[in-house]
Amino acid sequence: MVPTKNNFNSIFVLLLYTFCAICETKYIGGYYWSGSNKITKISDLNLGLLTHLFYAFVEVNIDGSLTIQNQEQGFVDELLKYKLKTNPDLKLLFSFTNKNDSFSKVIADPDLKSNFLTNTLTLLQNNSYDGIDLDWEFPKDEDKENYVALLRDLQSLFNSKYILTAAVRAIPIYKNTGYIVPEMTKYLDIINIMTYDYFGSWSNTTGQNSPLYPCSLDSAYEREYLNVNASIFNWIKVGADKTKLALGIPFYGRTFTLADPDNHGIHAPSKGGGSPLSLTFYQIASSYSNYITVWNDEQQTPYKYKNYTWLSYDDERSVARKASYAVEQELRGVFVWHIGADDVMGTLTGTKQPLLTTINETIFQIN
Ligand SMILES: *[C@@H]1O[C@H](CO)[C@@H](O)[C@H](O)[C@H]1NC(C)=O
Ligand SMILES: *[C@@H]1O[C@H](CO)[C@@H](O)[C@H](O)[C@H]1NC(C)=O
Ligand SMILES: *[C@@H]1O[C@H](CO)[C@@H](O)[C@H](O)[C@H]1NC(C)=O
Ligand SMILES: *[C@@H]1O[C@H](CO)[C@@H](O)[C@H](O)[C@H]1NC(C)=O
Ligand SMILES: *[C@@H]1O[C@H](CO)[C@@H](O)[C@H](O)[C@H]1NC(C)=O
Ligand SMILES: *[C@@H]1O[C@H](CO)[C@@H](O)[C@H](O)[C@H]1NC(C)=O
């Protein structure tokens, strides 16, 4: 048989799959937010689109005990059962959140910390979950040694049996940020960089919530810090191992109130946020279809406007660009906040979970 280009391609694809199954570089994380206004039925989700799922959230209490948010709803156990039925390879993690600055206090006190470590292990064993994600927003300068010590303790406690990840801010070295990146990168399996919330109601002008690249009107500061590409490079520059880095993709957008409806580009003067301040992809697809939509080619993200309302968001095209970027830059992968904000049932777009499906296709697609 004369080898055709297609045959070569399939052999190549097969080899790459085998390789990637071994090196485990591909990562698609998704947060399941138990506190969302519009709760997604777990059985409506296709868990085959993810490699890791984070249950949000578990509160860390001031005495080192743990509280599963919305535990009475039974999501924790339902997720486990549904995973075993539909995608046994999926890793299930608990995402830990701060409660009244509890992290800082618990990790500074040896007894509280020891209590916390014991409770963490019991929580994982009790629920047959695969690991934890520290979503501490944010450690301060005085916490940084304790934070790294906590990561070291968790890694040694987990002894490769459980996964340890953290969600971190887009700017690694910020005024008072308690990150010692070269140390963090040693102990964490995956670092979820929250590459979103760059522009919003707090900005003086319109701007993309999560631009992949800068815009030509950006100030020097904005160019160096307020886009996804800059964040990835900034994290690498201060010592992060890029094979552990994941880029965050928001399934939501942010609204602005234009100062002048006739001035509706990027960096148009704004008078703060609109109402509501943020919108899920589902809400945007359902209620903003009569807005004018602009693809911002420079920043590889879309925005919409009508009259005084301006909104920045992510769509199928921009999430595909970000997932490709993660592959091109040889990062670990991407994660999304949050999977329930997608058009889960496909009622608006005709595809179930269109954003997550696009991400899965892009991350696993081999050309
Ligand atoms: C996600 O991508 C992988 C690789 O192409 C594929 O095996 C899997 O079926 C996809 N998941 C879904 C639910 O389509
Ligand atoms: C939060 O912590 C502060 C300082 O420890 C304490 O005064 C306050 O009562 C706590 N608030 C709540 C809601 O627990
Ligand atoms: C683990 O399960 C036991 C028995 O149901 C329960 O008493 C304990 O509070 C659980 N601990 C954690 C941390 O979930
Ligand atoms: C907004 O504009 C004011 C006045 O020019 C300036 O002082 C402030 O720093 C600006 N804020 C931001 C977030 O750019
Ligand atoms: C991404 O950031 C790197 C590092 O700053 C820079 O060299 C590169 O030009 C940026 N890419 C784009 C398209 O802006
Ligand atoms: C634009 O918004 C203003 C203020 O909300 C309102 O008074 C006006 O009627 C709107 N114009 C159009 C064309 O909808």
Side-chain angles (χ1 to χ4, degrees):
M1 191 176 77
V2 182
T4 63
K5 186 167 180 289
N6 275 344
N7 284 338
F8 274 126
N9 278 349
S10 18
I11 292 166
F12 186 59
V13 166
L14 196 69
L15 283 175
L16 267 173
Y17 269 133
T18 314
F19 180 71
C20 289
I22 296 164
C23 66
E24 282 189 325
T25 52
K26 307 278 179 173
Y27 161 71
I28 304 175
Y31 284 85
Y32 179 82
W33 187 23
S34 70
S36 167
N37 291 332
K38 187 172 165 288
I39 278 296
T40 307
K41 256 173 66 193
I42 290 169
S43 57
D44 285 336
L45 294 168
N46 182 348
L47 298 184
L49 295 170
L50 296 165
T51 63
H52 294 62
L53 183 142
F54 301 95
Y55 181 88
F57 288 101
V58 168
E59 289 166 9
V60 175
N61 301 313
I62 202 74
D63 60 356
S65 65
L66 302 169
T67 304
I68 299 175
Q69 289 181 348
N70 305 297
Q71 185 171 23
E72 68 290 351
Q73 310 234 40
F75 301 137
V76 168
D77 200 40
E78 201 184 332
L79 280 168
L80 176 71
K81 291 199 173 113
Y82 189 55
K83 152 199 147 142
L84 292 172
K85 199 168 114 190
T86 63
N87 182 8
D89 291 337
L90 178 75
K91 303 298 182 199
L92 282 182
L93 294 90
F94 287 111
S95 187
F96 284 15
T97 188
N98 216 1
K99 194 178 175 193
N100 196 17
D101 211 21
S102 55
F103 265 120
S104 177
K105 289 166 190 145
V106 168
I107 67 175
D109 179 306
D111 291 337
L112 294 178
K113 184 163 86 168
S114 154
N115 192 21
F116 168 77
L117 292 172
T118 308
N119 288 328
T120 298
L121 200 55
T122 315
L123 179 79
L124 290 171
Q125 290 163 346
N126 272 4
N127 295 287
S128 303
Y129 269 43
D130 303 296
I132 67 163
D133 170 58
L134 299 174
D135 197 351
W136 178 1
E137 299 183 12
F138 296 99
K140 296 196 186 68
D141 192 56
E142 62 264 28
D143 299 313
K144 68 185 180 198
E145 306 288 346
N146 290 339
Y147 182 41
V148 164
L150 174 74
L151 298 180
R152 193 188 307 121
D153 291 346
L154 281 167
Q155 197 212 38
S156 106
L157 178 74
F158 287 176
N159 194 21
S160 305
K161 275 185 66 188
Y162 296 106
I163 304 163
L164 179 61
T165 73
V168 299
R169 71 186 314 153
I171 303 180
I173 306 297
Y174 194 63
K175 290 168 198 156
N176 190 16
T177 308
Y179 292 150
I180 309 175
V181 176
E183 291 294 306
M184 289 166 64
T185 201
K186 276 197 240 169
Y187 305 118
L188 289 164
D189 294 305
I190 296 169
I191 301 175
N192 286 331
I193 308 182
M194 294 187 275
T195 44
Y196 38 72
D197 299 341
Y198 291 107
F199 291 88
S201 55
W202 57 88
S203 313
N204 284 343
T205 65
T206 62
Q208 303 276 181
N209 179 38
S210 178
L212 184 52
Y213 296 115
C215 124
S216 44
L217 300 172
D218 275 353
S219 67
Y221 173 81
E222 288 164 341
R223 208 166 35 246
E224 279 168 48
Y225 294 101
L226 302 189
N227 60 81
V228 177
N229 178 59
S231 293
I232 299 299
F233 276 86
N234 289 338
W235 270 88
I236 293 170
K237 198 164 67 189
V238 294
D241 171 356
K242 74 172 179 174
T243 66
K244 292 186 174 188
L245 292 183
L247 171 167
I249 300 180
F251 282 7
Y252 65 92
R254 292 190 169 278
T255 61
F256 297 76
T257 300
L258 292 170
D260 170 6
D262 292 329
N263 190 357
H264 44 64
I266 297 287
H267 287 330
S270 78
K271 296 189 295 185
S275 174
L277 287 174
S278 67
L279 296 159
T280 62
F281 173 76
Y282 178 85
Q283 287 175 310
I284 294 166
S286 65
S287 309
Y288 293 79
S289 54
N290 61 346
Y291 276 51
I292 295 161
T293 305
V294 177
W295 174 256
N296 172 358
D297 202 47
E298 251 187 340
Q299 306 198 274
Q300 298 284 299
T301 36
Y303 63 85
K304 285 177 181 280
Y305 65 91
K306 194 172 98 173
N307 203 359
Y308 283 94
T309 304
W310 196 95
L311 65 106
S312 155
Y313 66 112
D314 274 82
D315 62 4
E316 288 93 327
R317 188 172 173 190
S318 70
V319 305
R321 282 298 303 119
K322 289 173 182 174
S324 301
Y325 173 93
V327 174
E328 284 155 22
Q329 299 292 330
E330 301 172 317
L331 308 181
R332 180 68 188 257
V334 304
F335 75 94
V336 311
W337 173 268
H338 63 99
I339 53 178
D342 207 342
D343 179 15
V344 174
M345 303 306 288
T347 48
L348 304 168
T349 56
T351 305
K352 288 184 179 174
Q353 295 180 271
L355 297 183
L356 202 54
T357 300
T358 303
I359 291 172
N360 179 280
E361 283 168 0
T362 311
I363 292 279
F364 287 104
Q365 175 198 45
I366 318 283
N367 297 312

